[in-house]
Amino acid sequence: MTPFLQQLHYSLLQDASDANLRQWGAHIVQQNLAIADLITLIHAEKKVATRFSWMLGGIVERAPELVRPVIPYLFTHRKEIVIQNFERSLAKFFALAGIPEEIEGEAVEALFQWLMDPKVLLSTRIFAMAARRFCGCLGPRMHASAVSNQKEGWSMDGQL
């Protein structure tokens, strides 16, 4: 582990504040650091992995091009990542950075599943709908179906 990665790991472990996450995110963006060099943190202990994911969420808002190269890795390893509601993070990454071609088929299938599953958080479904602009496959019919399901009683937390 590089000294920078050790420092980031320790900081994420000790400080969950939004200010800390924003400070690290800003540093990574300003220095144009490769997220791929930091991605091992997604497999760290749950506290660190979760905070790293939150930090990526902030980075993707400012510099989606930095997060885009690691999206295939995050998507492919999503079942190994022990972060609660990680699907929401993936849907946000897709919505803001796009769906990389090498995972497009699988990703679109996952987006459909998240859109149609009433147990999935509303925020995940909203990001999944936003991701549709990156592929032509979530057409008006799918949008109408998702809206119809929401009108039939999906609540904010995904419960009936």
Side-chain angles (χ1 to χ4, degrees):
M1 193 181 290
T2 67
F4 178 80
L5 195 56
Q6 288 175 329
Q7 187 179 10
L8 178 56
H9 181 278
Y10 182 77
S11 181
L12 294 176
L13 182 63
Q14 298 300 317
D15 187 354
S17 71
D18 187 55
N20 186 50
L21 299 176
R22 287 184 185 277
Q23 181 179 4
W24 280 106
H27 177 77
I28 290 166
V29 170
Q30 289 166 354
Q31 297 299 312
N32 198 29
L33 299 177
I35 304 293
D37 295 339
L38 313 173
I39 203 66
T40 57
L41 293 177
I42 204 72
H43 298 291
E45 59 269 34
K46 190 173 183 174
K47 244 188 220 188
V48 172
T50 299
R51 294 169 186 172
F52 179 71
S53 177
W54 294 343
M55 186 186 72
L56 288 180
I59 292 171
V60 78
E61 292 171 2
R62 296 178 63 187
E65 70 281 359
L66 289 180
V67 177
R68 187 174 171 84
V70 298
I71 291 174
Y73 178 87
L74 295 170
F75 182 75
T76 303
H77 291 87
R78 68 191 181 280
K79 295 190 187 324
E80 303 160 22
I81 297 171
V82 293
I83 297 171
Q84 187 175 7
N85 300 317
F86 188 63
E87 296 85 9
R88 180 195 178 278
S89 296
L90 286 171
K92 180 178 181 176
F93 300 155
F94 291 148
L96 298 178
I99 302 170
E101 190 175 313
E102 64 265 34
I103 60 164
E104 186 173 27
E106 262 190 285
V108 167
E109 186 176 320
L111 289 168
F112 276 126
Q113 290 172 358
W114 300 337
L115 278 170
M116 302 312 293
D117 185 348
K119 295 178 196 135
V120 171
L121 295 175
L122 179 59
S123 58
T124 303
R125 295 193 312 260
I126 289 170
F127 281 124
M129 285 300 297
R132 74 181 222 160
R133 69 186 171 147
F134 289 107
C135 62
C137 52
L138 296 179
R141 195 168 131 211
M142 183 61 176
H143 175 75
S145 176
V147 169
S148 170
N149 284 338
Q150 287 176 343
K151 287 180 182 176
E152 289 175 15
W154 285 353
S155 67
M156 291 296 282
D157 65 356
Q159 303 301 311
L160 291 175

